[in-house]
Amino acid sequence: MTRARLPRAVRGLVMSRLTLLLVMMGLLSACSSATLRLMPTPTLLTQGEPTLFDTGSVSARSTAIEVLYATNRLPLGSSDKRSYSRTRSADLRLGVATLRVGDGTKTWESLQAMSTSAVEGERPEISLIAAREMAVLEADASAAGPDAEAFFALVDELLARSGDRDLLIYLHGARTDFDRAAAQAAQFQHFMGPDTVVMVF
């Protein structure tokens, strides 16, 4: 079974509406570090494109969402369990953030149903589970090292698997912490489906 692909014209319309909604959310909560909740389902997904979530891969049927990240925030913790402060540095850190929709008890089937219908009521939270830092591009480095090359190879692999060769980079608003920025990027990844590769800066 192959993954269902969202037509390019529809993907563009969905992305434009998602962008507008996330910008509005960012303006309303730019100074907040509170946990983000799953946005309301875009109208197009409640009326005509529910097959976006009909993936043939059993392993992809999960409430966990992965997004790439590139950040110049100062790191905290070990490289496999990173968190990042709001203090900036001269170095660029690259990795993969894993987020989860709900508290761990929600099933893929219930998330799929919620993501393809206009369900009323409180939406589940999106929480950062882990940030795996893969490489650091130091400000004074003359060339990328092997760790950075491995990260770039991962990006190339993800783009090759997707139906769209574009990398969507989400740039958050002012005073937004890393967890919230990653959660907003995860919403793009979730609602755009497997044909989109998302990175948060």
Side-chain angles (χ1 to χ4, degrees):
M1 184 183 297
T2 58
R3 290 181 175 181
R5 299 194 183 282
L6 197 62
R8 181 177 293 274
V10 177
R11 285 204 306 271
L13 187 54
V14 171
M15 184 175 292
S16 64
R17 294 189 178 186
L18 282 173
T19 301
L20 177 60
L21 182 55
L22 286 174
V23 167
M24 292 173 64
M25 290 167 60
L27 290 174
L28 291 173
S29 57
C31 298
S32 174
S33 60
T35 301
L36 196 70
R37 292 187 178 276
L38 186 68
M39 62 184 281
T41 303
T43 303
L44 284 174
L45 298 184
T46 67
Q47 296 181 350
E49 289 296 338
T51 56
L52 175 63
F53 295 97
D54 291 341
T55 173
S57 172
V58 175
S59 61
R61 297 172 185 172
S62 170
T63 58
I65 303 170
E66 287 191 340
V67 295
L68 302 170
Y69 71 84
T71 184
N72 60 352
R73 299 170 186 263
L74 284 176
L76 302 170
S78 61
S79 61
D80 60 335
K81 294 182 179 179
R82 275 283 193 245
S83 61
Y84 295 93
S85 69
R86 293 188 179 184
T87 304
R88 306 296 174 176
S89 72
D91 300 332
L92 186 66
R93 298 175 183 276
L94 310 170
V96 178
T98 303
L99 300 101
R100 181 177 62 208
V101 181
D103 59 4
T105 61
K106 182 172 289 297
T107 64
W108 162 250
E109 289 74 18
S110 64
L111 177 58
Q112 181 187 36
M114 179 177 289
S115 301
T116 54
S117 60
V119 177
E120 299 292 337
E122 187 173 72
R123 308 289 279 185
E125 295 181 349
I126 304 177
S127 305
L128 180 68
I129 301 173
R132 178 168 58 95
E133 187 175 293
M134 295 179 61
V136 180
L137 292 178
E138 297 179 349
D140 56 356
S142 58
D147 289 346
E149 293 294 346
F151 177 81
F152 298 146
L154 172 63
V155 175
D156 288 341
E157 179 185 345
L158 293 174
L159 289 173
R161 286 188 213 160
S162 71
D164 196 338
R165 296 299 187 265
D166 293 330
L167 176 63
L168 174 62
I169 300 177
Y170 171 66
L171 181 61
H172 61 79
R175 300 183 184 178
T176 301
D177 63 25
F178 180 81
D179 292 26
R180 188 177 184 86
Q184 289 184 331
Q187 303 213 54
F188 273 113
Q189 185 66 72
H190 176 63
F191 283 109
M192 293 304 297
D195 280 345
T196 302
V197 180
V198 178
M199 174 184 284
V200 58
F201 178 81

